[in-house]
Amino acid sequence: MSIRKGVACLIPVLLGAVSLMSIVLLVWKMQFLGTSWDGIVEVSRQKRIFTSVLYSLGVSVIATVLSIGLGILIVRQVLLKPKVMRSVARLNTSFYYPHFVVALYVYLVFAFIYPYIGEYYKIYGTLEILIAYLLKEVPFVVFYLMTTYRKIDFAEVELVRLSGGGTWRVFATVEFPKIAPQMAELMIILLAFIWTAYEIPSLVGNSFPAFLGVVFYQGYYATDVSVQVATMFWMVVVSVFLLLLAFVLFASVQRYRSFLRKGSGQL
């Protein structure tokens, strides 16, 4: 095994070990404070934590799918129309703005709009969260996929088109096999970050259902020990879920790459 492959395999193992250690420390602190299953259930019911978990997960999945989809569309337009490259370069300037600053811009824009709309609805908070994350994550997806797309041989694209294939067939047969591992990586990165983030939901989100990061922050620093324990329990649940998801995606990507190597003999 080469050094490069060894490092590539070692990084997920180290990250997994750190994550497991964090989970163990959380469980230890829960035991130290006094864990009661009935107390966790009661606090979770009163604070409606499970509702926040599902709400945050749904918004995170939507934001992740839209970010990856829009990012792929933009990258494909850049390859087909090089003149669009200048606009993409301007899009990448969003890297210089923190998430909180982007959320502040979105908040100010909607603050001017709300007086003309009239009554405020909870869907507006969700919409603001989605817009803020799209403004930040779409450029990240474009940056992440650009290098891979530039390595695609246009002869393969032309071959599919000459055989009667359309845009979807080009994507499915030429592009997707090359970017599938990166799409899996992007999915776990964006999902984990958005699902547990605090800055944007705290500024433009609703008080109920509150985003998961806001619930965790308020619960972890609560004066009531039972609320702290319940919050830590849900931190452990979310951490285990993300860790298992990352492991499944990592194993799937490795099997997929092995399949491509055996099929083509070139990778």
Side-chain angles (χ1 to χ4, degrees), residues 157-217:
V157 177
E158 292 300 324
L159 179 62
V160 175
R161 293 193 182 279
L162 288 174
S163 63
T167 302
W168 173 250
R169 189 174 177 185
V170 170
F171 175 79
T173 58
V174 179
E175 301 172 22
F176 181 77
K178 295 177 174 60
I179 66 172
Q182 287 183 301
M183 289 179 63
E185 295 165 2
L186 283 169
M187 186 175 72
I188 187 62
I189 291 172
L190 296 181
L191 182 63
F193 178 80
I194 297 174
W195 193 18
T196 58
Y198 174 79
E199 301 95 333
I200 291 179
S202 66
L203 182 60
V204 299
N206 299 312
S207 58
F208 179 81
F211 223 73
L212 192 59
V214 178
V215 173
F216 281 171
Y217 180 83

Side-chain angles (χ1 to χ4, degrees), residues 225-260:
V225 175
S226 61
V227 175
Q228 290 186 15
V229 172
T231 302
M232 293 176 192
F233 168 78
W234 283 104
M235 284 181 176
V236 171
V237 171
V238 171
S239 300
V240 171
F241 175 81
L242 291 174
L243 191 61
L244 291 175
L245 180 62
F247 176 78
V248 170
L249 287 177
F250 177 76
S252 301
V253 167
Q254 294 303 315
R255 291 186 62 182
Y256 182 74
R257 285 174 172 167
S258 176
F259 171 76
L260 291 180

Side-chain angles (χ1 to χ4, degrees), residues 33-47:
L33 293 174
T35 303
S36 170
W37 176 251
D38 293 334
I40 292 174
V41 173
E42 181 62 23
V43 172
S44 300
R45 185 186 63 81
Q46 292 179 357
K47 298 294 183 180

Side-chain angles (χ1 to χ4, degrees), residues 125-183:
T126 303
L127 182 62
E128 291 178 57
I129 292 175
L130 286 173
I131 292 175
Y133 277 120
L134 288 177
L135 290 174
K136 277 296 296 180
E137 308 310 338
V138 170
F140 173 71
V141 174
V142 172
F143 173 81
Y144 207 81
L145 295 176
M146 185 65 73
T147 303
T148 302
Y149 262 95
R150 284 176 174 169
K151 294 180 180 179
I152 293 178
D153 189 356
F154 278 95
E156 299 180 33
V157 177
E158 292 300 324
L159 179 62
V160 175
R161 293 193 182 279
L162 288 174
S163 63
T167 302
W168 173 250
R169 189 174 177 185
V170 170
F171 175 79
T173 58
V174 179
E175 301 172 22
F176 181 77
K178 295 177 174 60
I179 66 172
Q182 287 183 301
M183 289 179 63

Side-chain angles (χ1 to χ4, degrees), residues 83 99 266:
K83 293 182 180 180
H99 285 78
Q266 297 176 358

Side-chain angles (χ1 to χ4, degrees), residues 93-109 132 135-136 199-200 203-204:
T93 58
S94 64
F95 284 122
Y96 298 101
Y97 296 94
H99 285 78
F100 186 81
V101 174
V102 175
L104 181 60
Y105 289 158
V106 174
Y107 174 81
L108 293 175
V109 169
L135 290 174
K136 277 296 296 180
E199 301 95 333
I200 291 179
L203 182 60
V204 299

